[in-house]
Amino acid sequence: EIEGGLFSFVVRNDGKSPAHNVSVSVDPSPINRSGKAIVEETPWLQAPIPTLLPGTRLVKTLDSHISIFNKDVPRSFTVELEYTSSSGRKYRERSFTLDIDQYRGSQLPTPSLEHSLSKLTSVIEKLEQKVGA
């Protein structure tokens, strides 16, 4: 996902029930802005996620929308996902490819409402501090 000008690796549960023992495999490991492989520093990419509730997500930021194309880092990844339902049924999604290069040369998407409101809140708080409110 791209939000606030940053590429992030996101695992989310868009279903209506919890997912258990969620195992995420990504190859090669994406590299973050400090040059570290995110798999090596992200516990939920090293071992199964015990429970991922509906509507929740885990996020690991990679780099900015602009910087990631100026570095020699992997930008195409094969992702595999396995999980178990609450009833004990095991699921294995087909592997898929995430390719960040498809965004090369594109403009940043319009910021989400949540992102815009958080920025606005920050600006208002700074103004209140300056005027002593």
Side-chain angles (χ1 to χ4, degrees):
E1 291 183 3
I2 305 174
E3 188 167 332
L6 298 173
F7 273 107
S8 296
F9 186 82
V10 179
V11 175
R12 66 177 175 234
N13 182 349
D14 288 335
K16 296 184 186 215
S17 61
H20 304 281
N21 299 315
V22 180
S23 177
V24 181
S25 170
V26 57
D27 185 47
S29 176
I31 306 298
N32 68 15
R33 59 182 151 216
S34 358
K36 296 181 181 175
I38 69 165
V39 170
E40 295 173 9
E41 65 175 25
T42 309
W44 51 268
L45 289 173
Q46 296 172 7
I49 302 160
T51 301
L52 192 58
L53 297 174
T56 60
R57 64 190 204 143
L58 298 171
V59 180
K60 183 67 179 176
T61 300
L62 299 180
D63 207 337
S64 76
H65 175 262
I66 296 170
S67 296
I68 202 161
F69 297 112
N70 294 328
K71 296 178 181 174
D72 185 22
V73 296
R75 287 187 290 274
S76 182
F77 315 98
T78 300
V79 180
E80 295 179 356
L81 183 66
E82 296 179 19
Y83 58 95
T84 305
S85 70
S86 293
S87 66
R89 183 173 176 193
K90 293 185 179 188
Y91 293 87
R92 182 179 190 149
E93 301 293 331
R94 285 187 181 177
S95 65
F96 58 93
T97 301
L98 292 175
D99 190 355
I100 294 174
D101 271 326
Q102 68 184 338
Y103 296 101
R104 184 185 295 273
S106 65
Q107 294 181 341
L108 287 175
T110 303
S112 69
L113 178 59
E114 292 82 8
H115 178 74
S116 297
L117 289 174
S118 89
K119 287 264 193 201
L120 184 58
T121 301
S122 176
V123 169
I124 290 170
E125 287 172 351
K126 288 177 184 174
L127 285 172
E128 285 176 339
Q129 289 174 356
K130 284 186 179 184
V131 297

